[in-house]
Amino acid sequence: CKTSRNFILLFILKTIIEQISFWGAIVGSLLLALHIPISGWAYIPFLLSNIASLYLLRHTNAPKVLSYQIVFFIAINLVGITQWLL
């Protein structure tokens, strides 16, 4: 059945986005906390995490202030990328 196949694909996609949101934040935090030569790369998983979180928040009834907070985090991560990696 095409409808059930679409439901399964959407469920898998949502699960992947949730994992990116979670693990991106964990990996980014760990890289910064370790304060090692590659710590600047922490901004990449943070950015991916924030984009995934923003997508998930937009598809819920979460307060808009959470989406605004994530938008600011995305901007901060872009500054971090320009300062540390470019």
Side-chain angles (χ1 to χ4, degrees), residues 30-73:
L30 182 61
L31 278 172
L32 280 180
L34 290 174
H35 195 66
I36 56 179
I38 62 167
S39 288
W41 287 95
Y43 291 102
I44 301 298
F46 271 142
L47 181 63
L48 294 174
S49 172
N50 292 155
I51 292 169
S53 296
L54 185 61
Y55 175 83
L56 293 169
L57 282 171
R58 296 274 169 112
H59 291 86
T60 66
N61 291 330
K64 287 195 182 288
V65 70
L66 294 176
S67 292
Y68 300 150
Q69 180 179 355
I70 297 297
V71 169
F72 278 103
F73 284 154

Side-chain angles (χ1 to χ4, degrees), residues 5-25:
R5 198 175 317 141
N6 287 343
F7 177 77
I8 292 170
L9 288 174
L10 287 174
F11 176 77
I12 291 170
L13 180 62
K14 183 177 180 237
T15 302
I16 290 169
I17 293 171
E18 288 170 347
Q19 293 300 311
I20 292 169
S21 175
F22 177 77
W23 287 107

